Each structure stands twice: as structure tokens, then as C-alpha cells.
Amino acid sequence: MKIALASDHGGFELKDKVKNYLQKKGIDVLDLGCHTEEPVYYPDFGKACGEAVMNGEAERGIVICGTGIGIAIAANKIKGVRCALCTNQYMAEMSRKYNDANMLALGAKVLISEIAFGIVDTWLDTEFEGGRHQHSVDLLNCL
Ligand code: RB5
């Protein structure tokens, strides 16, 4: 599986840690920036990651900013993206089981890296349940 990663300056440090964590697990990563702590605009990076997932450059995406809120909003503007902002493993699990989230948003100012890694693992390892949840996801795709 290939994972696209993007962050603004507020998420840059955690993005690098998540990138190393994924690479150590043997997961292919597409790093879309940013690459320094120089201030940038989170909508640009949420959009780039959402587009990478939707055009098939990566199967899923992870976006990070200070709270995770702005970059999740940006990613969700891209048609077909279902980006879930998760602050714990339960949310990550449900985002996959019920919402078939194809993107994960994390807040660097909200999470220590060890908690973020647990969220990432759960989100990667949990499958969509389909069934009664499929129709809701189909409705999302019509919005
Ligand atoms: C910093 O620009 C901060 O606004 C950003 O990282 C994020 O928290 C926005 O939602």
C-alpha cells in the first residue's frame, strides 16, 4: 500500500515522524510536503494530498496540521475524499469500519507521536465493514 502524506508547518515535525514510522514498517510513502517549518497554507497541502489519493498516486492519505482541523476541511473539499480527523484509536477504527475513510487527519498540537502512531496503525489495519454502512458512503459520494 502507498500512503500520501502532507502537512503544513504546524504538522511538519509529526509528518516526518509518521513518515519514518511507516517506512520502517515497509510502507511506501509519497511525501507531498511541506518540507520545512517555514509558514505555508494548510489548504494547499490538504488539497494536494486529497488529489493524490483521488487520482490513484496513493491508495490512502494522511494529513497533519496543528489541530488537524483545517487540513481535514481542505482534503474533504476534494470529491471522493473521506478524511477523518481522529484523536484516538477508537475514532480511527470507526472511521474505517463505518465511514471507509480514505484519508486520516492528525493534529500535531493535540497528539504525542506515540499516540499518533497507534492511531495510524489502527486506521491502516481496520477494514470497512460495508453492509448497512455502504449506503451511507454511497450517499456521501453523491454530495
Ligand atoms: C497554523 O497555521 C494552524 O492554523 C494550522 O496548523 C491548523 O491548526 C489549522 O487548522
Side-chain angles (χ1 to χ4, degrees), residues 118-133:
I119 292 170
V120 167
D121 280 341
T122 299
W123 184 73
L124 288 175
D125 295 344
T126 307
E127 292 301 319
F128 178 47
E129 276 187 358
R132 71 186 176 91
H133 305 294

Side-chain angles (χ1 to χ4, degrees), residues 14 107-108 110-117:
L14 181 59
V110 183
L111 303 167
I112 58 166
S113 48
E114 287 68 24
I115 300 287
F117 297 158

Side-chain angles (χ1 to χ4, degrees), residues 85-106:
L85 172 59
C86 297
T87 56
N88 57 50
Q89 284 175 276
Y90 177 74
M91 292 173 78
E93 184 186 342
M94 292 303 122
S95 80
R96 290 289 309 136
K97 279 187 172 171
Y98 290 4
N99 313 113
D100 196 16
N102 52 9
M103 290 186 61
L104 170 68
L106 300 171

Side-chain angles (χ1 to χ4, degrees), residues 7-11 39-43 64-73 107-109:
S7 74
D8 74 351
H9 53 288
V40 292
Y41 295 102
Y42 60 78
I64 307 174
C65 69
T67 59
I69 296 170
I71 205 159
I73 293 171
K109 291 182 180 154

Side-chain angles (χ1 to χ4, degrees), residues 13-76:
E13 201 180 323
L14 181 59
K15 173 173 66 67
D16 256 22
K17 289 181 181 169
V18 169
K19 179 179 174 180
N20 289 335
Y21 183 71
L22 292 174
Q23 286 175 332
K24 275 187 192 145
K25 286 163 73 85
I27 294 172
D28 217 3
V29 165
L30 173 65
D31 185 350
L32 298 165
C34 67
H35 299 292
T36 71
E37 285 176 358
E38 200 65 36
V40 292
Y41 295 102
Y42 60 78
D44 296 333
F45 293 87
K47 176 177 186 276
C49 197
E51 287 176 344
V53 171
M54 294 320 297
N55 70 24
E57 283 178 82
E59 287 167 68
R60 293 205 221 156
I62 300 175
V63 285
I64 307 174
C65 69
T67 59
I69 296 170
I71 205 159
I73 293 171
N76 278 314

